[in-house]
Amino acid sequence: MPTYVTLLSWTDQGVRNYKDTAKRAETFGSAVQNLGAKLLSIYWTVGPYDLVAIVEAPDDETATAALLQLGGVGNVRSTTLRAFDREEMERIIAKAAG
């Protein structure tokens, strides 16, 4: 299943409700699962992003739907990166090499 690395920044609303962040992460994990995806891990970070989430989803559409749901609540803004594991990268290189 494709993997997505999502960098999350709290909105003003999200910072005001920081005490609920662990519960919100649990709720996000359940919502992702209901869409057929999986929250592999979530980390609270220091720096330009407040959280990093690693999500597996069957396709880009499912990943996007999950992140739209998350953003729609209003606590975070996201930047998402499609990540490739070693096997996927080897297939990509093989295709590029012709």
Side-chain angles (χ1 to χ4, degrees):
M1 212 173 343
T3 302
Y4 302 85
V5 176
T6 301
L7 309 171
L8 300 160
S9 298
W10 280 334
T11 61
D12 289 343
Q13 173 183 306
V15 171
R16 280 193 305 274
N17 297 313
Y18 72 91
K19 291 180 182 179
D20 298 332
T21 188
K23 179 65 177 164
R24 291 193 313 248
E26 185 179 317
T27 300
F28 175 58
S30 296
V32 165
Q33 191 170 0
N34 288 340
L35 291 172
K38 183 177 180 183
L39 176 61
L40 297 179
S41 55
I42 191 161
Y43 301 97
W44 285 261
T45 58
V46 175
Y49 297 99
D50 299 304
L51 301 100
V52 176
I54 311 298
V55 176
E56 279 186 344
D59 50 49
D60 291 345
E61 291 85 1
T62 302
T64 302
L67 294 165
L68 282 172
Q69 285 183 350
L70 176 65
V73 176
N75 292 307
V76 293
R77 287 187 180 83
S78 65
T79 300
T80 302
L81 309 164
R82 169 63 166 92
F84 299 92
D85 64 21
R86 182 181 177 151
E87 290 178 9
E88 290 171 311
M89 196 63 213
E90 287 175 350
R91 287 193 303 268
I92 292 166
I93 291 168
K95 284 183 181 183

